[in-house]
Amino acid sequence: MRKAAIIGCGNIAHVHARALEHLTNVRLVACVDPILQRASELSDQSTKGLARIYDSLSAMLAQETPDVVHICTPHYLHVPMALELLSRNIHIFMEKPPAISLAEFRQLEEVQSNSAGRIGFCFQNRYNQSTKALDKIVQNREFGELLGGRAFVTWRRDKAYYSDEWHGRLSLEGGGVLINQAIHTLDLLLRYLGTPAKLDATMSNHHLQGSIEVEDTLEAWMEFPGGKRACFYATTGYATDAPVLLELTFEKGLVTLTDQTLLLVSQENGPRMLPLPAEPGIGKPYWGNGHLSCIRDFYQHLDEHTPYCNDLAGVRNTIETTLRIYDSARANK
C-alpha cells in the first residue's frame, strides 16, 4: 500500500483525493495547507482512514514518510517544494504548470537526475477518450497528411477569482490565461503538431485592467516543420466556461474535438460523429475528465516501471513552448 500526501487543499486537490479513492493500493495519509480548515475538509473526504492534517510541508515531513506527494499549491511553490521532496527521494505528482520559468524547469531536470524520486504531471486531457480516438486518427493517417490545427479556450474568470494572494500576480502565477487555464489545450495542439519552428504571439488584458498583472487574453500563430500551421486563442473574458474547441485539418478532411465529442468531416463521405466510450467524471466537465486515468497511470508506473508519458521529458515541449509564447507576446507589447 503506497502512502500519499496532498499539499495545497483547494478545489483541484479534491479531484486528486477522489481519484485516489479509486486506487486500491493507495491510501491518503496527510493533507497539508496553511489554512487547516481546508486540510481538514480534504481529509474528511477520504474513506480509507482519516488522513492527518498539517499546516506546512516541513511539519508533515517531520511526522510522515509518504511515498508520493501531490503538489496542488500555487504555481510559484511547485518547483521549490518538488526540489525538497526529490532531495528526500519522494515521488511527486504535480499540478500544472511544471514550472514558471525555464530556469526552474532545468533545475527540476537536474535534481531529478540525481534522485530516486520520480515526477508525474497532471496533463489529464491526454487521457480523455476523445484524445485517444484522435490519436488513432492521426496515427492511421485516416485523412492523409496533417496540415495544421486551431484551438480556442473561451472561459470566464472575474475579479473575485483573483482575490487571493497569488492569482493574477506575475511573479507568483507566472502568467494568466495561457499558463493557468489554456496550457492543457496548447498541450493537445502540440501533441499532434510537435515543436514550433516559428511563432508569434500577442496578449492583452480586456476586462481585468487594474485588477491583475497578467493577461486575460492571448493569441499565438505557430509554424511547424513541413509547413504545418496552427492558430491558438485563449481568454477568460467570455460569458461562461464554454467547451474547449480543438480542430485538426488534414489533406482529406478535418476533425473537431468539442466537449469530449469528435466530429469527423471527410471530403469524400461528409460529416459523422464518432461514438466514444463513457467515462466517469471527476472535476468540472470543461477541465476534461482524464484525472483518474492520469493518476492511476502514474502509480502503475511507480509500481510496475511502465512508461509514463507525463514525465519531465513528456511535458518539456509544452512548457518550453508556453514560455516561448510569453517571450514573443512580451516582445510585441
Side-chain angles (χ1 to χ4, degrees), residues 35 71 106 122 130 147 166 170 215-216 243 253 283 290 299:
I35 302 174
I71 297 179
R106 296 287 182 260
C122 195
S130 53
L147 303 178
W166 69 279
L170 182 60
E215 84 284 356
D216 67 16
Y299 280 89

Side-chain angles (χ1 to χ4, degrees), residues 31-296:
C31 300
V32 185
D33 197 286
I35 302 174
L36 284 175
Q37 181 180 351
R38 292 200 305 202
S40 180
E41 289 170 355
L42 187 65
S43 173
D44 290 345
Q45 182 178 315
S46 175
T47 62
K48 298 180 183 178
L50 191 65
R52 290 171 287 277
I53 64 173
Y54 299 91
D55 63 3
S56 69
L57 178 63
S58 58
M60 185 271 288
L61 292 174
Q63 298 294 322
E64 308 285 351
T65 55
D67 299 296
V68 181
V69 172
H70 291 239
I71 297 179
C72 301
T73 60
H75 298 176
Y76 71 100
L77 295 173
H78 286 189
V79 172
M81 288 182 171
L83 296 176
E84 170 65 21
L85 294 166
L86 288 173
S87 73
R88 298 168 179 258
N89 297 316
I90 295 172
H91 304 300
I92 298 157
F93 190 80
M94 185 190 293
E95 263 299 326
K96 51 77 183 167
I100 60 174
S101 72
L102 193 56
E104 275 196 339
F105 191 74
R106 296 287 182 260
Q107 193 174 15
L108 269 184
E109 291 179 312
E110 179 181 354
V111 173
Q112 189 193 244
S113 68
N114 295 305
S115 171
R118 300 293 93 188
I119 308 178
F121 298 94
C122 195
F123 282 89
Q124 73 278 356
N125 289 342
R126 297 178 175 188
Y127 291 80
N128 295 342
Q129 291 297 331
S130 53
T131 303
K132 294 176 183 178
L134 188 51
D135 287 347
K136 292 180 180 178
I137 292 169
V138 174
Q139 291 163 6
N140 295 339
R141 297 174 61 87
E142 185 173 334
F143 296 111
E145 183 73 19
L146 176 61
L147 303 178
R150 59 180 180 143
F152 297 88
V153 181
T154 52
W155 291 353
R156 179 171 183 162
R157 296 293 183 274
D158 293 328
K159 187 175 179 180
Y161 177 81
Y162 300 94
S163 62
D164 59 25
E165 76 286 354
W166 69 279
H167 279 111
R169 296 179 61 184
L170 182 60
S171 63
L172 305 182
E173 193 173 13
V177 63
L178 174 59
I179 203 166
N180 193 342
Q181 285 83 23
I183 191 170
H184 292 295
T185 305
L186 177 65
D187 178 68
L188 291 186
L189 195 61
L190 299 177
R191 180 181 186 87
Y192 303 110
L193 292 171
T195 301
K198 295 190 293 186
L199 62 81
D200 192 58
T202 62
M203 61 183 177
S204 55
N205 187 330
H206 292 304
H207 78 298
L208 291 168
Q209 295 178 24
S211 299
I212 62 175
E213 303 171 355
V214 297
E215 84 284 356
D216 67 16
T217 302
L218 182 143
E219 64 82 26
W221 172 88
M222 291 169 275
E223 186 172 83
F224 298 81
K228 298 178 178 66
R229 291 184 177 182
C231 295
F232 178 84
Y233 177 85
T235 185
T236 55
Y238 192 49
T240 188
D241 294 315
V244 168
L245 183 147
L246 173 69
E247 183 177 274
L248 297 182
T249 297
F250 301 83
E251 288 177 304
K252 303 175 184 178
L254 61 85
V255 180
T256 303
L257 186 161
T258 310
D259 197 21
Q260 305 306 304
T261 64
L262 278 182
L263 172 65
L264 282 60
V265 181
S266 166
Q267 293 176 1
E268 183 178 349
N269 300 313
R272 66 183 175 94
M273 296 298 297
L274 186 68
L276 297 172
E279 290 181 279
I282 298 180
K284 299 176 182 179
Y286 62 91
W287 283 352
N289 52 8
H291 291 85
L292 174 57
S293 296
C294 183
I295 291 172
R296 178 189 285 124

